[in-house]
Amino acid sequence: MQILTVVSLSGGQGKTTTSFFLGLTLASLGFKTLWIDGDPQHNLSLYGRSPHQNDEPTLLECITGQVQPTDAIYPTDWENLSLIPSDRALEQSQTHLANVTMGELLLKKRLKNLDFDYCIIDSPPQRSQLCVTCICAADKLIIPVETNSKGLACLQSTLETIDELSENMAWQGEILAIVPFRDTIRGLNRTKTSREAITYFEQLCQERDIAITPSIVDSEKYKQAIDRAEYLPTELNSPFNKLIELAGVV
Ligand SMILES: Nc1ncnc2c1ncn2[C@@H]1O[C@H](COP(=O)(O)OP(=O)(O)OP(=O)(O)O)[C@@H](O)[C@H]1O
Ligand SMILES: [Mg+2]
């Protein structure tokens, strides 16, 4: 099983959107795919439409070891796509992760031996114990960032955190790609803010030899597709098609 964590250390950068459509894309190709909701805000769990009930196990109980991961996996409305959901209580995992030895590697260990082709972890926006364990579980990291000044600052702090974990040997995977989020086109042209941000991302990716995907354009259609549980039109799915190509899927 290949584990892909979607990480970006600021709110609203497109982590859940990327996790959602990447999961759908992999599952639609017939790969057995597992979504893990690593964010106490639990948006992926809401989008995922699983039959999970409030009193049933979630990611929290997997992390604390009260249940096996297989006991917290639920089907979703989509074929080949399952979910380990979360809720607000996931915040309680922070204390557990801080108090166990090698908490950063705990999720990676828990996910060993699961019978899926791909696992996609949606992570929380702050640099917390939970976020670090989501990063360290990954074989590959995907970093969505908004095409504006907040996105630039977020990319820098995200890369700093990843570099630090990599130097400490806590994480030894690779960065799969940066995904520009909410690329804003007005008329036929990209706005100055988006253009400047993307130029910066491209330079940085070239310097660091990191791939960059086509942008997720600023469009209500992504939100609509999530709300209606629909697939994206082909032209809007290109960032996710590129991600699976980079991951060696197709
Ligand atoms: N293509 C798009 N254009 C404009 N808005 C979008 C697009 N895709 C998603 N959104 C909206 O942008 C917001 C942020 O997206 P998303 O939830 O994926 O970010 P996030 O990084 O997971 O945020 P958080 O850190 O709060 O979990 C959401 O309200 C989402 O509905
Ligand atoms: Mg999110």
Side-chain angles (χ1 to χ4, degrees), residues 12-36:
Q13 300 295 310
K15 293 177 289 294
T16 306
T17 304
T18 302
S19 303
F20 181 83
F21 289 110
L22 181 59
L24 242 58
T25 305
L26 285 164
S28 70
L29 291 170
F31 295 103
K32 221 178 144 193
T33 305
L34 176 65
W35 271 325
I36 296 185

Side-chain angles (χ1 to χ4, degrees), residues 27 32 34 110 148 154 162 167 189 202 204 223 225-226 231 247:
K32 221 178 144 193
L34 176 65
R110 292 270 194 269
N148 57 24
C154 171
I162 294 169
E167 279 156 24
N189 300 314
E202 284 172 349
L204 190 125
K223 186 86 178 71
I226 292 175
Y231 291 97

